[in-house]
Amino acid sequence: MSTRAARACFGAWILALTGLYYALPNAHLYTWAALGYSCAAMVLVGVRLNRPERRAPWYLISAALACFTTGDTWYNLVLALGREPDFPGLADLFFVLMYPLLTAGLLMFVRIRAGGGTDRGALLDALVPTVGLGLVAWVYWIAPFTRSEHLSVLEKLVSIGYPLGDVLVLAMIMRMVSGAGRRGGAVTTIGIAMVGLLISDVFYGQSQLNSDWALGGPVDLGWVVFYSLMGYAALQPSMRTLTRPADRISLDMGRHRLFWLAAAALIAPAVLVAEYLQGHEVEIARGGVVDAPVIAGAAAVMFLLVLARVGDLALAQRQAGARERALRQASATLFAAATADDVAAGVRRAVARLWPSDHRYHLDIPQEVFPGEAEIAMRLMPAAELPHGDAGGFPYALYGTQPMPGGGYGVLVIGGPEAVLNTVRHSFEALGAQVAVVLERIALTAEVSRRDTEAYFRTLIQSAADVILILDEDGAIRYASPSAEALFGHGDPTGSPFAELLAADSQEALREVLTRVGQGAGDLDGIGLAADRGGRRVEIECDLRDLREDPTVRGLVITLRDVTERRRLEDDLTHQAFHDALTGLANRVLFRNRLEQAFSVAARDGATLGVLFVDLDDFKEVNDTLGHAVGDQLLLTVARRISAIIGAGSTAARMGGDEFAVLVEQSDSADAAEDVAARLVAALAEPIEVTSTDGIVHQVSGGASVGVATSRDAENATELLRHADLALYLAKGLGKGAWQRYQSDLHTAMVQRLEMRTALHEAIEGEQFVLQYQPIVELAGARVTGVEALVRWQHPVRGLLGPFHFVEAAEESGAIVGIGSWVLREALRQFAEWRAENPASTLRYVSVNVSVRQFRSADFTDVVRQALADTGARPEWLLLEITESLVLRDADKVLADLKALRAMGVRIAIDDFGTGYSSLSYLRQMPVDVLKLDKSFIDDILHSRQQHALVDAIVTLAHNLDLAVVAEGIEETGQHTALDTMGCRYGQGYLFAKPLWPADIPALTVSAELVSR
């Protein structure tokens, strides 16, 4: 059965029962019960037929009607049995219970329609008349009960409960009427029903007060109206809107609303006037105006509510003004333009707003229109290749072309730094699209103004880029602009259903839109649909205008535009936000998101999740020696190898620099992550061919260290990442080109390392470092000619520590710079002291090691110069030992610093010569004086013919280049003899002396020779 038929049947039924009720007084018990219970049942029927989104409010209303009817039925039953109903009695219990049930249902309507929020303006508008009518109820209805002398306390409470319940229901219905949203038939019907209830309750209360109540009188009509209209409201289709959030419509202070608020605010003065008109004698009899405090209080409350409402209106006005200013500022740049010159000026202002304020730019907009055709485009071009315009001295510029409505195209040139141009390019592309819309609008406006006839207007519409369709009631196309053929790739679509032009996945969206329009949704904007144009998907954005009531159109007007490129740009921007620009892998943000989701799923399923941190070994050497372009090639190849190893089920990401991460999806054990780590190490160990900028092909290593961690050892995703990082740290520390799994003691080791760094800085401040010196002798005569300063740490707890225990940590923390400066000063001070004590000493110099980090500090040469000046040492007494790797990096800067030191008179030595990463060609280019052969060369010269020949060749080369050679690590007499025979002049090692304290050195320099030991 339809709701219309149900309403008709219900109306006939109510009319029949009402007639029977008044026609058959002896049947009141049955006719009234049938009337009330049928209305309660009809609410349930309405819920069944209309299916509202929330049914609980209607169930409460049905329960309220049933309670009210039950009270009436019990009351009528007692009368039918010939007895006088008790007051208060069981019937009053059901009567009073009806009010909280009804109020709860109405309150749920209010909350749902407000969307769960608070509509302060509507609440204030409802409270003012509620307080006013509540005051009337108090003075003329509630207060008389409280002053009645023939009623007991319980009778007074029950009698007061009825008007209080009515006031509460009144507040709810006023709140519904004053709230946001369109007030449909159901709201109006419920409001009339509440009026009927209030009228009958008022007369019933007065009759109780006067003890003249009679059943079957006209007062019962109000309750009949209440019963029947509540059931009728549930049968109306608009009842569904009461359980949906209401549309936000303007609640401005219109004349009608202002009239009712003013009338309600005048209730209190009106009551005072009525009290006065009752006469002075009545006031004397009552002992004065008994209700004066209540009237004054109600007047004050209504005054405050009106003030609050006025304040809300003022605030809303200010907010509306702020929004209007913001909209004007946003649209004034371009959309206020009326001519092409205005557009150019608007573009200049828009560029100034879009361009970063901390960078300079040059904007050139040629005034001429160039012949030919061009699309809307914004390309990054070298300045030398610009067809038109000027880049203002910048090497690169954005070159934009813009078709002009009258034919030809215009040009926009923006010169600036390349990086900034790339950053703002997409923004200026969007600006170009806006300019196209504005230019087209200007052209159309001018043409419409010039030709104000229907024929020319039709021509303009047909030439517009947007497609305009008019649909009739059944969705068929009654009119289509000519641009529809280009959009859909078919002939004229007039007469065919609009749905047939759309892709399959847009059919449901179209049906939903048409359903909303049929339900009175009005105009709709920004509807996303898609069409299939010759096998290519076209993304469409639609605006719909419901002009079925317009006699000139009588249909739905749909404006469509092709937004495929815009959607592609949005997709590209989204991809860039979550992927690495160089490798195309996921970036740190996307990897973290996927890890957190996968961790939650793995925790739920009891599976194991693996995370791998991959860090390339010696990547910085590749960048420093071959350039960043080659480094990028290496990173791309590494990314491809990682993706090939892990497959489609896992996620690879570039976390930054040369660090990658891999998310190994769920498995039953940690073996899957370890297997991937092993395969990654093996795959990346294979040499990689790269091409430098000069076209030379190089083979470089992509070897990497890998840290492995699983979710079984972590409580959350953050801890899992930290574990993988610690495992990578362990892999780096134990040797490159390998993988290590997280171990619980890694955290302890890291803490110890941090403690070591802190202790190093404290050691510098506490002067806990000391120096030992190892003699350097002439091999021919074993005479001590120099000493090498060796730093030791006199740890307050662990005792004397060698460099092995702290140098690496000092390098990482930067403390090595402070330690190195102290070593330099202390060594020079001690050497100057030895020379002052014994001018005839055989010592000629002291050798001091310089770390790479210390040498690269900006003021190192100044530190050396100041140390010489402070200690009184002569520059030729100082020999600085630098590593081979330092010479190979930043060659120009290193060369300049070495020349500055040599200019002072300081000599330079290459320490651990032969263990570096390059050839010997730099020896003739760099200003060095001494080569120190590493101990690894000396160990095998007595047993390896090749090693002996290699050392001999190095010594010979050094002599040819006028370089002195010092052999390190001499421990056997045979090594001493062999080196002396080769022509190596100097050596040091345990054969001559171990590192000694400063007090032991002078004794070795008195005699001409040091006895070998």
Side-chain angles (χ1 to χ4, degrees), residues 483-536:
S483 52
E485 298 183 19
L487 179 64
F488 295 109
H490 304 292
D492 185 3
T494 303
S496 60
F498 179 50
E500 292 183 356
L501 302 178
L502 301 180
D505 57 355
S506 293
Q507 300 294 330
E508 182 62 30
L510 177 62
R511 283 193 292 270
E512 181 181 349
V513 169
L514 294 179
T515 301
R516 292 173 59 190
V517 172
Q519 294 175 348
D523 299 339
L524 301 175
D525 294 326
I527 305 167
L529 299 174
D532 186 2
R533 183 169 62 198
R536 187 172 72 89

Side-chain angles (χ1 to χ4, degrees), residues 60-105:
L60 290 172
I61 291 174
S62 178
L65 295 178
C67 281
F68 204 16
T69 303
T70 302
D72 283 334
T73 302
W74 177 260
Y75 188 91
N76 294 336
L77 177 61
V78 172
L79 291 178
L81 293 176
R83 297 198 304 267
E84 186 67 26
D86 296 332
F87 179 75
L90 184 60
D92 296 289
L93 174 63
F94 285 106
F95 290 154
V96 174
L97 183 60
M98 182 270 298
Y99 291 105
L101 291 174
L102 184 59
T103 302

Side-chain angles (χ1 to χ4, degrees), residues 337-686:
T339 64
D341 292 337
D342 293 341
V343 172
V347 168
R348 294 182 185 277
R349 291 193 295 272
V351 171
R353 291 174 180 171
L354 291 173
W355 193 267
S357 59
D358 55 344
H359 291 280
R360 189 172 59 87
Y361 73 94
H362 173 77
L363 175 62
D364 185 16
I365 306 179
Q367 296 296 320
E368 60 181 311
V369 176
F370 300 95
E373 297 182 355
E375 60 180 359
I376 302 174
M378 186 69 66
R379 297 184 293 273
L380 181 65
M381 300 178 61
E385 299 177 9
L386 290 175
H388 310 286
D390 177 32
F394 290 96
Y396 285 91
L398 286 176
Y399 180 74
T401 55
Q402 179 70 56
M404 302 301 290
Y409 64 93
V411 169
L412 170 72
V413 180
I414 306 173
E418 183 180 5
V420 180
L421 293 173
N422 277 315
T423 302
V424 302
R425 177 180 175 181
H426 295 301
S427 299
F428 288 137
E429 286 177 347
L431 176 64
Q434 293 182 359
V435 170
V437 173
V438 172
L439 289 174
E440 185 174 0
R441 188 257 299 163
I442 292 174
L444 288 173
T445 302
E447 191 65 16
V448 169
S449 299
R450 187 174 65 89
R451 302 180 181 273
D452 193 15
T453 66
E454 183 178 355
Y456 285 108
F457 180 73
R458 183 181 297 110
T459 302
L460 290 175
I461 293 298
Q462 291 177 349
S463 63
D466 289 354
V467 176
I468 300 176
L469 303 179
I470 300 179
L471 307 184
D472 55 22
E473 290 290 343
D474 58 359
I477 300 175
R478 195 169 73 236
Y479 169 81
S481 61
S483 52
E485 298 183 19
L487 179 64
F488 295 109
H490 304 292
D492 185 3
T494 303
S496 60
F498 179 50
E500 292 183 356
L501 302 178
L502 301 180
D505 57 355
S506 293
Q507 300 294 330
E508 182 62 30
L510 177 62
R511 283 193 292 270
E512 181 181 349
V513 169
L514 294 179
T515 301
R516 292 173 59 190
V517 172
Q519 294 175 348
D523 299 339
L524 301 175
D525 294 326
I527 305 167
L529 299 174
D532 186 2
R533 183 169 62 198
R536 187 172 72 89
R537 183 179 179 86
V538 180
E539 298 291 338
I540 301 173
E541 186 176 81
C542 308
D543 296 336
L544 186 146
R545 298 292 178 266
D546 186 0
L547 300 180
R548 290 176 295 177
E549 302 300 326
D550 190 329
T552 62
V553 179
R554 296 194 180 279
L556 300 178
V557 179
I558 302 181
T559 305
L560 305 93
R561 63 193 64 87
D562 186 349
V563 293
T564 305
E565 289 301 316
R566 192 182 78 187
R567 296 284 169 77
R568 182 192 60 78
L569 176 61
E570 293 172 352
D571 293 341
D572 290 345
L573 292 175
T574 302
H575 184 274
Q576 293 174 15
F578 292 101
H579 291 80
D580 177 55
L582 175 63
T583 63
L585 299 179
N587 62 11
R588 183 184 296 272
V589 175
L590 180 58
F591 183 82
R592 181 59 184 263
N593 290 342
R594 290 186 179 177
L595 174 61
E596 290 180 348
Q597 296 174 5
F599 193 94
S600 299
V601 174
R604 181 196 64 196
D605 299 341
T608 300
L609 196 68
V611 170
L612 280 61
F613 270 13
V614 182
D615 190 81
L616 300 185
D617 299 329
D618 304 322
F619 176 74
K620 190 174 188 306
E621 282 74 5
V622 175
N623 263 351
D624 291 344
T625 55
L626 300 178
H628 290 275
V630 173
D632 289 346
Q633 296 179 46
L634 173 59
L635 292 174
L636 282 170
T637 304
V638 168
R640 286 194 290 267
R641 290 188 180 181
I642 292 176
S643 299
I645 289 296
I646 67 173
S650 301
T651 299
R654 183 185 177 201
M655 306 298 279
D658 61 338
E659 185 173 321
F660 297 82
V662 175
L663 172 61
V664 181
E665 293 294 345
Q666 299 185 34
S667 63
D668 296 331
S669 66
D671 296 341
E674 295 178 358
D675 176 65
V676 172
R679 288 189 286 126
L680 280 177
V681 170
L684 297 179
E686 295 292 330

Side-chain angles (χ1 to χ4, degrees), residues 13 16-37 69 72-81 215-216 220 224:
W13 170 254
L17 285 178
T18 304
L20 289 174
Y21 177 77
Y22 282 102
L24 302 174
N26 294 329
H28 283 171
L29 172 64
Y30 308 105
T31 55
W32 190 264
L35 190 148
Y37 286 125
T69 303
D72 283 334
T73 302
W74 177 260
Y75 188 91
N76 294 336
L77 177 61
V78 172
L79 291 178
L81 293 176
L215 188 64
D220 292 344
V224 172

